[in-house]
Amino acid sequence: MNALSLKNIGKIYNNGKNNACEALRNVDLEIERGELIAVIGQSGSGKSTLLHIIGCIDTPTSGELVAFGKEVNFKNSKKLAEYRNKKIGFVLQDFGLILGETALENVRVPLLFSDIRYSKTKQMALDALNMLGIANLANKRANQLSGGQKQRVAIARALVNDPDMILADEPTGALDSKTAADIIGVFKQINSEGKTVVIVTHDLGIAQQCDRVIKISDGEII
């Protein structure tokens, strides 16, 4: 079974207005379970919009998304929240951490929106940090961490709910080349353990390490 199937996906921002902008056009895409995929393209090409629609944090103007065998109903906000929380882990370029909170509390955040007992969430967060080799940083505040450490915390947070798919938007954009190589190694390890991973990147060196490269130009896959 495919992890995802996108059919004729289109996205127009400010639809019907003078400043309307077509970000995606007639996108058809199949993503298989366990793939490691890079999405590349120039700034403004639509690659981040595509990632946001796959992760259901943005709504397409047209087309349909079938995720893990079920068509996504973008009008049902409760079901979308469940899908994002249980099926998808997000990793962002700017890490998206709460700087005044510890690494442990940052990793714990997605669990607070689940039906898991609060008493269990601490151990799950510690397990995720340990998986990334940074359990020793559990009680350090995010504003005390290096860029690479912050990104590892962000990846641990993405993994804490054991999602089926990891979506990463320019995850190495704020890192030096050595740290970036380490982080891509982490994603490859995650993928080798069965997770589907989709990485938006402008770095061709990173893209070449993936199973498949999808190039987007002016909102279309080419």
Side-chain angles (χ1 to χ4, degrees), residues 63-74:
E64 67 177 38
L65 168 64
V66 177
F68 305 100
K70 294 183 179 180
E71 184 174 350
V72 174
N73 181 357
F74 283 95

Side-chain angles (χ1 to χ4, degrees), residues 143-206:
N143 56 14
Q144 297 174 311
L145 303 177
S146 69
Q149 289 171 336
K150 287 177 181 175
Q151 196 59 292
R152 282 178 180 265
V153 171
I155 295 170
R157 181 186 57 193
L159 290 170
V160 73
N161 262 343
D162 193 26
D164 294 306
M165 178 178 286
I166 300 295
L167 304 179
D169 195 357
E170 298 283 6
T172 62
L175 304 176
D176 62 77
S177 58
K178 182 182 183 304
T179 306
D182 290 342
I183 293 300
I184 290 303
V186 171
F187 283 116
K188 292 171 75 173
Q189 178 62 35
I190 292 168
N191 174 251
S192 73
E193 295 170 359
K195 302 286 186 191
T196 307
V197 180
V198 181
I199 302 173
V200 163
T201 183
H202 64 276
D203 189 326
L204 292 179
I206 290 170

